[in-house]
Amino acid sequence: MNLPTRPAPEAFREPAADGYPLGGFSWRHVRTDLARPAVIINAATSVRCRHYSRFADYLFAHGFDVITYDYRGIGESRSGSLRVFKASWSDWGALDFEAILQRVQREFPGQPIDVVGHSFGGCAAGLAASGAVIRRIVTVGAQFAYWRDYQASGRWRMFAKWHVAMPLVTALCGYFPGKRLGWLEDTPAGVVRDWSTPTPRYETRPSGRALAGLPFSRVSAQILAISITDDPFGTVPAIERLLGYFDGSERTHLRIAPEDIGEKQVGHFAFFRSEYQDRLWPIALAWLQDGELTADTLGISPNLRFNTHPRSSGR
């Protein structure tokens, strides 16, 4: 399917909750429709929001208003050197995503608000104080980069790269020079610290007990977590660990093998490439439209693996 030519998205600047200027793009239909959802796309760690532009075009062509943005220190939201720049995963969620949530409520008043989160972007969806306004969430490979959850076949190689080499280079440079090394975007030191910490970022110990006061439980959105079997970050334990935090939501985990869509490999980053707009994107679209998946909407292998978690009985 070739998407029709669409008007270029509008660039915007939005102050984060602490005043830091964030940059992003808005795909907005001319006519307001209170039934039309507005979708926020949360990027992966140190991936520019422009990576998701074709997917945003796709959602816009199917009737959604769409917002993409960069976290502080990345892409459109970078200003100057990162050597002494302060930012963390918590800042990206509690300050940056929170600001975008509030912007969408102002810009699209009365419309449903949905979120698509890639990798850390799925975690960010649970860190905003206003998370209760979210109607539906689709995550793709979303997890905390906890090394024990990495795919077993490459775990030690990944540990050496992301938990040894990356923090060492960061300590030498004052930030992680990812662009120079071909490892994603340049990344603030605080984010590297959060990524490389030896225990899950928001847990007191690996057993899974969450720190008190985090806003994940405020989210009551219907969640679809998509994972790919050859994603070395997005293993079943990794995806399920994050889903466990969203105990106020009904959560569905859909696990897809590359061969289910006629591919040999997909991995952690390829889902949002336009080559998958006819095979993978309709899955996210169907969830955002209806909050459910059927054999007809999936249109791929009937052997897909589902795991569904009800909303916590304590809510």
Side-chain angles (χ1 to χ4, degrees):
M1 169 184 164
N2 292 320
L3 296 178
T5 301
R6 297 286 170 180
E10 295 182 4
F12 69 81
R13 304 293 286 179
E14 177 72 21
D18 62 348
Y20 184 90
L22 304 173
F25 300 94
S26 177
W27 285 252
R28 181 170 188 159
H29 290 268
V30 175
R31 295 182 179 177
T32 299
D33 181 351
L34 294 182
R36 177 188 298 122
V39 179
I40 301 169
I41 299 178
N42 284 348
T45 297
S46 300
V47 175
R48 298 186 67 155
C49 68
R50 291 177 181 269
H51 176 71
Y52 306 94
S53 292
R54 288 294 291 169
F55 184 70
D57 283 336
Y58 173 84
L59 294 180
F60 182 83
H62 284 85
F64 293 85
D65 292 315
V66 188
I67 293 278
T68 65
Y69 70 102
D70 281 314
Y71 309 117
R72 63 186 61 204
I74 306 296
E76 307 299 319
S77 300
R78 179 172 178 173
S79 178
S81 173
L82 296 183
R83 289 186 185 277
V84 294
F85 185 76
K86 303 297 183 183
S88 66
W89 269 349
S90 294
D91 293 335
W92 283 1
L95 300 178
D96 299 353
F97 175 55
E98 170 66 17
I100 300 302
L101 262 182
Q102 292 187 20
R103 178 186 177 88
V104 169
Q105 291 177 78
R106 295 194 310 270
E107 188 174 353
F108 307 99
Q111 295 178 222
I113 299 175
D114 296 337
V115 174
V116 173
H118 181 204
S119 195
F120 168 76
C123 308
L127 293 175
S130 300
V133 304
I134 304 171
R135 181 188 65 157
R136 292 177 186 143
I137 297 173
V138 173
T139 68
V140 178
Q143 33 65 48
F144 289 121
Y146 175 43
W147 69 274
R148 289 184 183 275
D149 290 340
Y150 291 160
Q151 193 172 71
S153 60
R155 182 175 299 146
W156 292 110
R157 175 180 52 81
M158 294 174 68
F159 183 86
K161 180 176 181 178
W162 300 113
H163 300 265
V164 178
M166 184 168 65
L168 284 175
V169 171
T170 301
L172 290 172
C173 299
Y175 72 103
F176 182 68
K179 291 183 70 174
R180 199 182 319 164
L181 296 174
W183 297 8
L184 309 176
E185 292 288 308
D186 294 346
T187 306
V191 172
V192 173
R193 179 199 64 227
D194 290 346
W195 185 331
S196 59
T197 186
T199 56
R201 179 65 183 89
Y202 297 106
E203 297 179 7
T204 56
R205 59 178 185 269
S207 63
R209 183 166 63 86
L211 292 172
L214 288 173
F216 287 90
S217 292
R218 301 177 191 174
V219 178
S220 59
Q222 294 174 288
I223 299 177
L224 172 65
I226 299 172
S227 67
I228 310 296
T229 58
D230 71 331
D231 176 357
F233 294 98
T235 62
V236 171
I239 303 300
E240 294 288 321
R241 185 184 299 277
L242 175 60
L243 285 179
Y245 282 82
F246 290 96
D247 59 356
S249 297
E250 294 180 1
R251 297 145 287 169
T252 298
H253 179 186
L254 173 62
R255 190 129 176 101
I256 303 172
E259 53 266 29
D260 293 331
I261 60 169
E263 291 287 342
K264 293 182 178 179
Q265 60 183 28
V266 176
H268 188 61
F269 293 101
F271 183 98
F272 294 96
R273 294 176 184 167
S274 56
E275 63 197 84
Y276 295 115
Q277 65 187 29
D278 292 331
R279 290 173 289 169
L280 290 176
W281 293 4
I283 299 172
L285 177 66
W287 188 266
L288 295 173
Q289 288 176 326
D290 303 315
E292 62 180 6
L293 300 175
T294 66
D296 291 338
T297 57
L298 289 173
I300 53 180
S301 170
N303 300 316
L304 294 176
R305 292 152 287 278
F306 288 89
N307 190 10
T308 301
H309 306 269
R311 182 177 288 129
S312 171
S313 58
R315 288 177 62 90

